[in-house]
PDB file of all heavy atoms in Angstrom:
ATOM      1  N   SER A   1      -2.605   2.874   6.846  1.00  0.00           N
ATOM      2  CA  SER A   1      -3.782   3.633   6.420  1.00  0.00           C
ATOM      3  C   SER A   1      -3.969   3.445   4.917  1.00  0.00           C
ATOM      4  O   SER A   1      -3.027   3.653   4.148  1.00  0.00           O
ATOM      5  CB  SER A   1      -3.606   5.121   6.733  1.00  0.00           C
ATOM      6  OG  SER A   1      -3.229   5.316   8.075  1.00  0.00           O
ATOM      7  N   ILE A   2      -5.192   3.079   4.525  1.00  0.00           N
ATOM      8  CA  ILE A   2      -5.509   2.895   3.104  1.00  0.00           C
ATOM      9  C   ILE A   2      -6.719   3.761   2.788  1.00  0.00           C
ATOM     10  O   ILE A   2      -7.800   3.558   3.328  1.00  0.00           O
ATOM     11  CB  ILE A   2      -5.798   1.424   2.776  1.00  0.00           C
ATOM     12  CG1 ILE A   2      -4.589   0.552   3.128  1.00  0.00           C
ATOM     13  CG2 ILE A   2      -6.151   1.273   1.296  1.00  0.00           C
ATOM     14  CD1 ILE A   2      -4.820  -0.933   2.898  1.00  0.00           C
ATOM     15  N   ASN A   3      -6.534   4.707   1.891  1.00  0.00           N
ATOM     16  CA  ASN A   3      -7.614   5.634   1.562  1.00  0.00           C
ATOM     17  C   ASN A   3      -8.511   5.068   0.457  1.00  0.00           C
ATOM     18  O   ASN A   3      -8.338   3.925   0.030  1.00  0.00           O
ATOM     19  CB  ASN A   3      -7.035   6.997   1.174  1.00  0.00           C
ATOM     20  CG  ASN A   3      -7.893   8.150   1.669  1.00  0.00           C
ATOM     21  OD1 ASN A   3      -9.096   8.173   1.434  1.00  0.00           O
ATOM     22  ND2 ASN A   3      -7.276   9.095   2.343  1.00  0.00           N
ATOM     23  N   LEU A   4      -9.454   5.876   0.000  1.00  0.00           N
ATOM     24  CA  LEU A   4     -10.524   5.438  -0.894  1.00  0.00           C
ATOM     25  C   LEU A   4     -10.019   4.783  -2.183  1.00  0.00           C
ATOM     26  O   LEU A   4      -9.056   5.242  -2.794  1.00  0.00           O
ATOM     27  CB  LEU A   4     -11.380   6.645  -1.297  1.00  0.00           C
ATOM     28  CG  LEU A   4     -12.115   7.390  -0.197  1.00  0.00           C
ATOM     29  CD1 LEU A   4     -12.534   8.759  -0.706  1.00  0.00           C
ATOM     30  CD2 LEU A   4     -13.325   6.594   0.250  1.00  0.00           C
ATOM     31  N   HIS A   5     -10.704   3.717  -2.593  1.00  0.00           N
ATOM     32  CA  HIS A   5     -10.537   3.119  -3.925  1.00  0.00           C
ATOM     33  C   HIS A   5      -9.104   2.662  -4.218  1.00  0.00           C
ATOM     34  O   HIS A   5      -8.669   2.700  -5.373  1.00  0.00           O
ATOM     35  CB  HIS A   5     -10.978   4.100  -5.013  1.00  0.00           C
ATOM     36  CG  HIS A   5     -12.446   4.365  -5.038  1.00  0.00           C
ATOM     37  ND1 HIS A   5     -13.355   3.497  -5.605  1.00  0.00           N
ATOM     38  CD2 HIS A   5     -13.175   5.406  -4.549  1.00  0.00           C
ATOM     39  CE1 HIS A   5     -14.585   4.006  -5.480  1.00  0.00           C
ATOM     40  NE2 HIS A   5     -14.503   5.143  -4.833  1.00  0.00           N
ATOM     41  N   SER A   6      -8.373   2.236  -3.224  1.00  0.00           N
ATOM     42  CA  SER A   6      -7.032   1.707  -3.465  1.00  0.00           C
ATOM     43  C   SER A   6      -7.055   0.188  -3.472  1.00  0.00           C
ATOM     44  O   SER A   6      -7.894  -0.433  -2.805  1.00  0.00           O
ATOM     45  CB  SER A   6      -6.046   2.225  -2.412  1.00  0.00           C
ATOM     46  OG  SER A   6      -5.738   3.582  -2.678  1.00  0.00           O
ATOM     47  N   ALA A   7      -6.134  -0.397  -4.226  1.00  0.00           N
ATOM     48  CA  ALA A   7      -6.113  -1.847  -4.402  1.00  0.00           C
ATOM     49  C   ALA A   7      -4.782  -2.418  -3.933  1.00  0.00           C
ATOM     50  O   ALA A   7      -3.716  -2.008  -4.409  1.00  0.00           O
ATOM     51  CB  ALA A   7      -6.341  -2.217  -5.866  1.00  0.00           C
ATOM     52  N   ILE A   8      -4.859  -3.362  -2.995  1.00  0.00           N
ATOM     53  CA  ILE A   8      -3.698  -4.103  -2.528  1.00  0.00           C
ATOM     54  C   ILE A   8      -3.773  -5.480  -3.179  1.00  0.00           C
ATOM     55  O   ILE A   8      -4.645  -6.282  -2.862  1.00  0.00           O
ATOM     56  CB  ILE A   8      -3.705  -4.238  -0.987  1.00  0.00           C
ATOM     57  CG1 ILE A   8      -3.945  -2.879  -0.319  1.00  0.00           C
ATOM     58  CG2 ILE A   8      -2.409  -4.874  -0.506  1.00  0.00           C
ATOM     59  CD1 ILE A   8      -2.938  -1.826  -0.651  1.00  0.00           C
ATOM     60  N   GLY A   9      -2.878  -5.751  -4.106  1.00  0.00           N
ATOM     61  CA  GLY A   9      -2.968  -6.962  -4.918  1.00  0.00           C
ATOM     62  C   GLY A   9      -2.559  -8.221  -4.171  1.00  0.00           C
ATOM     63  O   GLY A   9      -2.155  -8.187  -3.005  1.00  0.00           O
ATOM     64  N   HIS A  10      -2.628  -9.332  -4.889  1.00  0.00           N
ATOM     65  CA  HIS A  10      -2.306 -10.628  -4.289  1.00  0.00           C
ATOM     66  C   HIS A  10      -0.842 -10.690  -3.860  1.00  0.00           C
ATOM     67  O   HIS A  10       0.053 -10.160  -4.519  1.00  0.00           O
ATOM     68  CB  HIS A  10      -2.619 -11.769  -5.270  1.00  0.00           C
ATOM     69  CG  HIS A  10      -1.708 -11.806  -6.462  1.00  0.00           C
ATOM     70  ND1 HIS A  10      -0.508 -12.494  -6.459  1.00  0.00           N
ATOM     71  CD2 HIS A  10      -1.821 -11.253  -7.684  1.00  0.00           C
ATOM     72  CE1 HIS A  10       0.079 -12.371  -7.622  1.00  0.00           C
ATOM     73  NE2 HIS A  10      -0.706 -11.612  -8.400  1.00  0.00           N
ATOM     74  N   ASP A  11      -0.619 -11.279  -2.710  1.00  0.00           N
ATOM     75  CA  ASP A  11       0.740 -11.527  -2.184  1.00  0.00           C
ATOM     76  C   ASP A  11       1.535 -10.238  -1.951  1.00  0.00           C
ATOM     77  O   ASP A  11       2.766 -10.257  -1.928  1.00  0.00           O
ATOM     78  CB  ASP A  11       1.522 -12.454  -3.118  1.00  0.00           C
ATOM     79  CG  ASP A  11       0.843 -13.792  -3.287  1.00  0.00           C
ATOM     80  OD1 ASP A  11       0.798 -14.562  -2.314  1.00  0.00           O
ATOM     81  OD2 ASP A  11       0.324 -14.064  -4.390  1.00  0.00           O
ATOM     82  N   VAL A  12       0.846  -9.148  -1.761  1.00  0.00           N
ATOM     83  CA  VAL A  12       1.499  -7.872  -1.435  1.00  0.00           C
ATOM     84  C   VAL A  12       1.699  -7.796   0.079  1.00  0.00           C
ATOM     85  O   VAL A  12       0.818  -8.140   0.859  1.00  0.00           O
ATOM     86  CB  VAL A  12       0.664  -6.674  -1.922  1.00  0.00           C
ATOM     87  CG1 VAL A  12       1.187  -5.366  -1.328  1.00  0.00           C
ATOM     88  CG2 VAL A  12       0.673  -6.608  -3.438  1.00  0.00           C
ATOM     89  N   SER A  13       2.868  -7.304   0.497  1.00  0.00           N
ATOM     90  CA  SER A  13       3.156  -7.090   1.910  1.00  0.00           C
ATOM     91  C   SER A  13       3.404  -5.604   2.149  1.00  0.00           C
ATOM     92  O   SER A  13       4.220  -4.989   1.455  1.00  0.00           O
ATOM     93  CB  SER A  13       4.389  -7.893   2.334  1.00  0.00           C
ATOM     94  OG  SER A  13       4.725  -7.630   3.679  1.00  0.00           O
ATOM     95  N   VAL A  14       2.679  -5.030   3.108  1.00  0.00           N
ATOM     96  CA  VAL A  14       2.861  -3.618   3.471  1.00  0.00           C
ATOM     97  C   VAL A  14       3.272  -3.568   4.936  1.00  0.00           C
ATOM     98  O   VAL A  14       2.543  -4.030   5.812  1.00  0.00           O
ATOM     99  CB  VAL A  14       1.573  -2.805   3.243  1.00  0.00           C
ATOM    100  CG1 VAL A  14       1.832  -1.333   3.569  1.00  0.00           C
ATOM    101  CG2 VAL A  14       1.074  -2.964   1.811  1.00  0.00           C
ATOM    102  N   ASP A  15       4.440  -3.014   5.202  1.00  0.00           N
ATOM    103  CA  ASP A  15       4.953  -2.989   6.572  1.00  0.00           C
ATOM    104  C   ASP A  15       4.357  -1.827   7.368  1.00  0.00           C
ATOM    105  O   ASP A  15       3.721  -0.929   6.825  1.00  0.00           O
ATOM    106  CB  ASP A  15       6.478  -2.928   6.562  1.00  0.00           C
ATOM    107  CG  ASP A  15       7.100  -3.664   7.741  1.00  0.00           C
ATOM    108  OD1 ASP A  15       6.399  -3.869   8.745  1.00  0.00           O
ATOM    109  OD2 ASP A  15       8.289  -4.036   7.652  1.00  0.00           O
ATOM    110  N   SER A  16       4.600  -1.843   8.659  1.00  0.00           N
ATOM    111  CA  SER A  16       3.916  -0.978   9.614  1.00  0.00           C
ATOM    112  C   SER A  16       4.135   0.516   9.363  1.00  0.00           C
ATOM    113  O   SER A  16       5.187   0.931   8.873  1.00  0.00           O
ATOM    114  CB  SER A  16       4.379  -1.318  11.030  1.00  0.00           C
ATOM    115  OG  SER A  16       4.069  -2.655  11.351  1.00  0.00           O
ATOM    116  N   PHE A  17       3.097   1.295   9.696  1.00  0.00           N
ATOM    117  CA  PHE A  17       3.074   2.763   9.701  1.00  0.00           C
ATOM    118  C   PHE A  17       3.064   3.380   8.304  1.00  0.00           C
ATOM    119  O   PHE A  17       3.168   4.592   8.171  1.00  0.00           O
ATOM    120  CB  PHE A  17       4.243   3.343  10.507  1.00  0.00           C
ATOM    121  CG  PHE A  17       4.344   2.784  11.893  1.00  0.00           C
ATOM    122  CD1 PHE A  17       5.377   1.936  12.249  1.00  0.00           C
ATOM    123  CD2 PHE A  17       3.378   3.075  12.841  1.00  0.00           C
ATOM    124  CE1 PHE A  17       5.459   1.403  13.524  1.00  0.00           C
ATOM    125  CE2 PHE A  17       3.455   2.551  14.123  1.00  0.00           C
ATOM    126  CZ  PHE A  17       4.497   1.716  14.464  1.00  0.00           C
ATOM    127  N   SER A  18       2.907   2.582   7.276  1.00  0.00           N
ATOM    128  CA  SER A  18       2.840   3.131   5.925  1.00  0.00           C
ATOM    129  C   SER A  18       1.450   3.688   5.637  1.00  0.00           C
ATOM    130  O   SER A  18       0.457   3.271   6.236  1.00  0.00           O
ATOM    131  CB  SER A  18       3.212   2.063   4.892  1.00  0.00           C
ATOM    132  OG  SER A  18       4.586   1.737   5.003  1.00  0.00           O
ATOM    133  N   THR A  19       1.386   4.647   4.706  1.00  0.00           N
ATOM    134  CA  THR A  19       0.128   5.283   4.321  1.00  0.00           C
ATOM    135  C   THR A  19      -0.044   5.193   2.814  1.00  0.00           C
ATOM    136  O   THR A  19       0.864   5.562   2.055  1.00  0.00           O
ATOM    137  CB  THR A  19       0.101   6.753   4.772  1.00  0.00           C
ATOM    138  OG1 THR A  19       0.045   6.802   6.200  1.00  0.00           O
ATOM    139  CG2 THR A  19      -1.116   7.475   4.207  1.00  0.00           C
ATOM    140  N   ILE A  20      -1.221   4.722   2.406  1.00  0.00           N
ATOM    141  CA  ILE A  20      -1.553   4.556   0.992  1.00  0.00           C
ATOM    142  C   ILE A  20      -2.719   5.482   0.680  1.00  0.00           C
ATOM    143  O   ILE A  20      -3.811   5.316   1.225  1.00  0.00           O
ATOM    144  CB  ILE A  20      -1.903   3.087   0.694  1.00  0.00           C
ATOM    145  CG1 ILE A  20      -0.681   2.199   0.984  1.00  0.00           C
ATOM    146  CG2 ILE A  20      -2.370   2.923  -0.747  1.00  0.00           C
ATOM    147  CD1 ILE A  20      -0.984   0.725   1.005  1.00  0.00           C
ATOM    148  N   SER A  21      -2.483   6.467  -0.165  1.00  0.00           N
ATOM    149  CA  SER A  21      -3.510   7.453  -0.489  1.00  0.00           C
ATOM    150  C   SER A  21      -4.554   6.866  -1.440  1.00  0.00           C
ATOM    151  O   SER A  21      -4.518   5.675  -1.768  1.00  0.00           O
ATOM    152  CB  SER A  21      -2.862   8.703  -1.090  1.00  0.00           C
ATOM    153  OG  SER A  21      -1.925   9.261  -0.189  1.00  0.00           O
ATOM    154  N   SER A  22      -5.484   7.692  -1.902  1.00  0.00           N
ATOM    155  CA  SER A  22      -6.587   7.227  -2.744  1.00  0.00           C
ATOM    156  C   SER A  22      -6.120   6.779  -4.133  1.00  0.00           C
ATOM    157  O   SER A  22      -5.146   7.303  -4.676  1.00  0.00           O
ATOM    158  CB  SER A  22      -7.607   8.351  -2.915  1.00  0.00           C
ATOM    159  OG  SER A  22      -8.118   8.773  -1.675  1.00  0.00           O
ATOM    160  N   PHE A  23      -6.845   5.806  -4.687  1.00  0.00           N
ATOM    161  CA  PHE A  23      -6.675   5.353  -6.068  1.00  0.00           C
ATOM    162  C   PHE A  23      -5.260   4.838  -6.374  1.00  0.00           C
ATOM    163  O   PHE A  23      -4.755   4.977  -7.483  1.00  0.00           O
ATOM    164  CB  PHE A  23      -7.048   6.467  -7.055  1.00  0.00           C
ATOM    165  CG  PHE A  23      -8.490   6.870  -6.973  1.00  0.00           C
ATOM    166  CD1 PHE A  23      -8.870   7.974  -6.237  1.00  0.00           C
ATOM    167  CD2 PHE A  23      -9.470   6.131  -7.623  1.00  0.00           C
ATOM    168  CE1 PHE A  23     -10.207   8.347  -6.144  1.00  0.00           C
ATOM    169  CE2 PHE A  23     -10.807   6.491  -7.534  1.00  0.00           C
ATOM    170  CZ  PHE A  23     -11.179   7.602  -6.798  1.00  0.00           C
ATOM    171  N   VAL A  24      -4.643   4.232  -5.385  1.00  0.00           N
ATOM    172  CA  VAL A  24      -3.331   3.599  -5.566  1.00  0.00           C
ATOM    173  C   VAL A  24      -3.533   2.155  -6.004  1.00  0.00           C
ATOM    174  O   VAL A  24      -4.443   1.473  -5.542  1.00  0.00           O
ATOM    175  CB  VAL A  24      -2.507   3.665  -4.260  1.00  0.00           C
ATOM    176  CG1 VAL A  24      -1.260   2.778  -4.337  1.00  0.00           C
ATOM    177  CG2 VAL A  24      -2.126   5.106  -3.959  1.00  0.00           C
ATOM    178  N   ASP A  25      -2.672   1.677  -6.892  1.00  0.00           N
ATOM    179  CA  ASP A  25      -2.759   0.295  -7.389  1.00  0.00           C
ATOM    180  C   ASP A  25      -1.435  -0.415  -7.111  1.00  0.00           C
ATOM    181  O   ASP A  25      -0.440  -0.173  -7.783  1.00  0.00           O
ATOM    182  CB  ASP A  25      -3.058   0.297  -8.890  1.00  0.00           C
ATOM    183  CG  ASP A  25      -3.276  -1.110  -9.437  1.00  0.00           C
ATOM    184  OD1 ASP A  25      -3.404  -2.062  -8.629  1.00  0.00           O
ATOM    185  OD2 ASP A  25      -3.318  -1.261 -10.671  1.00  0.00           O
ATOM    186  N   LEU A  26      -1.443  -1.279  -6.082  1.00  0.00           N
ATOM    187  CA  LEU A  26      -0.281  -2.114  -5.768  1.00  0.00           C
ATOM    188  C   LEU A  26      -0.554  -3.503  -6.340  1.00  0.00           C
ATOM    189  O   LEU A  26      -1.309  -4.285  -5.771  1.00  0.00           O
ATOM    190  CB  LEU A  26      -0.076  -2.209  -4.252  1.00  0.00           C
ATOM    191  CG  LEU A  26       0.399  -0.942  -3.538  1.00  0.00           C
ATOM    192  CD1 LEU A  26       0.242  -1.093  -2.033  1.00  0.00           C
ATOM    193  CD2 LEU A  26       1.847  -0.643  -3.882  1.00  0.00           C
ATOM    194  N   THR A  27       0.033  -3.795  -7.495  1.00  0.00           N
ATOM    195  CA  THR A  27      -0.217  -5.087  -8.134  1.00  0.00           C
ATOM    196  C   THR A  27       0.526  -6.199  -7.395  1.00  0.00           C
ATOM    197  O   THR A  27       1.103  -5.978  -6.346  1.00  0.00           O
ATOM    198  CB  THR A  27       0.204  -5.031  -9.612  1.00  0.00           C
ATOM    199  OG1 THR A  27       1.570  -4.597  -9.691  1.00  0.00           O
ATOM    200  CG2 THR A  27      -0.668  -4.052 -10.383  1.00  0.00           C
ATOM    201  N   GLY A  28       0.531  -7.399  -7.938  1.00  0.00           N
ATOM    202  CA  GLY A  28       0.953  -8.575  -7.193  1.00  0.00           C
ATOM    203  C   GLY A  28       2.400  -8.604  -6.724  1.00  0.00           C
ATOM    204  O   GLY A  28       3.311  -8.089  -7.370  1.00  0.00           O
ATOM    205  N   LYS A  29       2.603  -9.211  -5.543  1.00  0.00           N
ATOM    206  CA  LYS A  29       3.908  -9.572  -4.987  1.00  0.00           C
ATOM    207  C   LYS A  29       4.818  -8.371  -4.738  1.00  0.00           C
ATOM    208  O   LYS A  29       6.043  -8.480  -4.792  1.00  0.00           O
ATOM    209  CB  LYS A  29       4.603 -10.597  -5.897  1.00  0.00           C
ATOM    210  CG  LYS A  29       3.830 -11.891  -6.036  1.00  0.00           C
ATOM    211  CD  LYS A  29       4.569 -12.919  -6.878  1.00  0.00           C
ATOM    212  CE  LYS A  29       3.776 -14.220  -6.955  1.00  0.00           C
ATOM    213  NZ  LYS A  29       4.456 -15.244  -7.772  1.00  0.00           N
ATOM    214  N   ILE A  30       4.233  -7.245  -4.408  1.00  0.00           N
ATOM    215  CA  ILE A  30       5.004  -6.047  -4.078  1.00  0.00           C
ATOM    216  C   ILE A  30       5.306  -6.046  -2.586  1.00  0.00           C
ATOM    217  O   ILE A  30       4.502  -6.505  -1.774  1.00  0.00           O
ATOM    218  CB  ILE A  30       4.221  -4.778  -4.473  1.00  0.00           C
ATOM    219  CG1 ILE A  30       4.148  -4.682  -5.996  1.00  0.00           C
ATOM    220  CG2 ILE A  30       4.828  -3.517  -3.872  1.00  0.00           C
ATOM    221  CD1 ILE A  30       3.174  -3.649  -6.492  1.00  0.00           C
ATOM    222  N   ASN A  31       6.463  -5.537  -2.225  1.00  0.00           N
ATOM    223  CA  ASN A  31       6.855  -5.424  -0.823  1.00  0.00           C
ATOM    224  C   ASN A  31       7.080  -3.956  -0.489  1.00  0.00           C
ATOM    225  O   ASN A  31       7.967  -3.310  -1.056  1.00  0.00           O
ATOM    226  CB  ASN A  31       8.129  -6.241  -0.573  1.00  0.00           C
ATOM    227  CG  ASN A  31       8.474  -6.342   0.892  1.00  0.00           C
ATOM    228  OD1 ASN A  31       8.684  -5.333   1.553  1.00  0.00           O
ATOM    229  ND2 ASN A  31       8.559  -7.553   1.411  1.00  0.00           N
ATOM    230  N   VAL A  32       6.256  -3.434   0.435  1.00  0.00           N
ATOM    231  CA  VAL A  32       6.358  -2.034   0.860  1.00  0.00           C
ATOM    232  C   VAL A  32       6.936  -2.004   2.271  1.00  0.00           C
ATOM    233  O   VAL A  32       6.416  -2.656   3.177  1.00  0.00           O
ATOM    234  CB  VAL A  32       4.978  -1.347   0.836  1.00  0.00           C
ATOM    235  CG1 VAL A  32       5.087   0.087   1.342  1.00  0.00           C
ATOM    236  CG2 VAL A  32       4.384  -1.383  -0.573  1.00  0.00           C
ATOM    237  N   GLY A  33       8.009  -1.256   2.465  1.00  0.00           N
ATOM    238  CA  GLY A  33       8.674  -1.210   3.760  1.00  0.00           C
ATOM    239  C   GLY A  33       7.953  -0.348   4.782  1.00  0.00           C
ATOM    240  O   GLY A  33       6.867   0.179   4.526  1.00  0.00           O
ATOM    241  N   LYS A  34       8.558  -0.191   5.946  1.00  0.00           N
ATOM    242  CA  LYS A  34       7.971   0.612   7.016  1.00  0.00           C
ATOM    243  C   LYS A  34       7.983   2.107   6.677  1.00  0.00           C
ATOM    244  O   LYS A  34       8.888   2.601   6.017  1.00  0.00           O
ATOM    245  CB  LYS A  34       8.746   0.408   8.323  1.00  0.00           C
ATOM    246  CG  LYS A  34       8.553  -0.951   8.965  1.00  0.00           C
ATOM    247  CD  LYS A  34       9.305  -1.020  10.287  1.00  0.00           C
ATOM    248  CE  LYS A  34       9.082  -2.364  10.975  1.00  0.00           C
ATOM    249  NZ  LYS A  34       9.816  -2.443  12.259  1.00  0.00           N
ATOM    250  N   ARG A  35       6.951   2.785   7.171  1.00  0.00           N
ATOM    251  CA  ARG A  35       6.863   4.250   7.140  1.00  0.00           C
ATOM    252  C   ARG A  35       6.960   4.823   5.727  1.00  0.00           C
ATOM    253  O   ARG A  35       7.533   5.884   5.496  1.00  0.00           O
ATOM    254  CB  ARG A  35       7.927   4.879   8.047  1.00  0.00           C
ATOM    255  CG  ARG A  35       7.792   4.507   9.514  1.00  0.00           C
ATOM    256  CD  ARG A  35       8.922   5.094  10.346  1.00  0.00           C
ATOM    257  NE  ARG A  35      10.219   4.621   9.888  1.00  0.00           N
ATOM    258  CZ  ARG A  35      10.782   3.466  10.269  1.00  0.00           C
ATOM    259  NH1 ARG A  35      10.172   2.696  11.147  1.00  0.00           N
ATOM    260  NH2 ARG A  35      11.953   3.101   9.791  1.00  0.00           N
ATOM    261  N   VAL A  36       6.362   4.134   4.777  1.00  0.00           N
ATOM    262  CA  VAL A  36       6.330   4.614   3.388  1.00  0.00           C
ATOM    263  C   VAL A  36       5.065   5.438   3.167  1.00  0.00           C
ATOM    264  O   VAL A  36       3.984   5.081   3.637  1.00  0.00           O
ATOM    265  CB  VAL A  36       6.383   3.432   2.406  1.00  0.00           C
ATOM    266  CG1 VAL A  36       6.138   3.900   0.971  1.00  0.00           C
ATOM    267  CG2 VAL A  36       7.729   2.718   2.510  1.00  0.00           C
ATOM    268  N   MET A  37       5.202   6.540   2.453  1.00  0.00           N
ATOM    269  CA  MET A  37       4.064   7.377   2.075  1.00  0.00           C
ATOM    270  C   MET A  37       3.869   7.276   0.573  1.00  0.00           C
ATOM    271  O   MET A  37       4.780   7.574  -0.207  1.00  0.00           O
ATOM    272  CB  MET A  37       4.326   8.833   2.469  1.00  0.00           C
ATOM    273  CG  MET A  37       3.165   9.761   2.190  1.00  0.00           C
ATOM    274  SD  MET A  37       1.850   9.530   3.419  1.00  0.00           S
ATOM    275  CE  MET A  37       0.623  10.689   2.798  1.00  0.00           C
ATOM    276  N   ILE A  38       2.659   6.847   0.161  1.00  0.00           N
ATOM    277  CA  ILE A  38       2.358   6.669  -1.256  1.00  0.00           C
ATOM    278  C   ILE A  38       1.255   7.652  -1.642  1.00  0.00           C
ATOM    279  O   ILE A  38       0.154   7.619  -1.089  1.00  0.00           O
ATOM    280  CB  ILE A  38       1.923   5.224  -1.554  1.00  0.00           C
ATOM    281  CG1 ILE A  38       3.042   4.248  -1.180  1.00  0.00           C
ATOM    282  CG2 ILE A  38       1.560   5.069  -3.030  1.00  0.00           C
ATOM    283  CD1 ILE A  38       2.687   2.788  -1.369  1.00  0.00           C
ATOM    284  N   GLY A  39       1.547   8.535  -2.602  1.00  0.00           N
ATOM    285  CA  GLY A  39       0.603   9.559  -3.025  1.00  0.00           C
ATOM    286  C   GLY A  39      -0.515   9.016  -3.897  1.00  0.00           C
ATOM    287  O   GLY A  39      -0.439   7.916  -4.460  1.00  0.00           O
TER     288      GLY A  39
END
């Protein structure tokens, strides 16, 4: 789930069941594991 105005940068991997709240900035080459909650 990706909420309003969030940015998933180049070469970023987000694993299953994770939630990304509004106005989040994931810059390049980040790896997010399963079931992560990002405020």
Side-chain angles (χ1 to χ4, degrees):
S1 309
I2 301 177
N3 217 309
L4 298 163
H5 291 281
S6 285
I8 311 301
H10 69 88
D11 300 292
V12 168
S13 176
V14 183
D15 213 339
S16 299
F17 307 110
S18 292
T19 292
I20 298 168
S21 302
S22 301
F23 297 98
V24 169
D25 185 11
L26 290 167
T27 55
K29 299 183 178 180
I30 291 168
N31 189 300
V32 177
K34 289 183 178 180
R35 298 177 300 275
V36 171
M37 183 76 182
I38 300 177

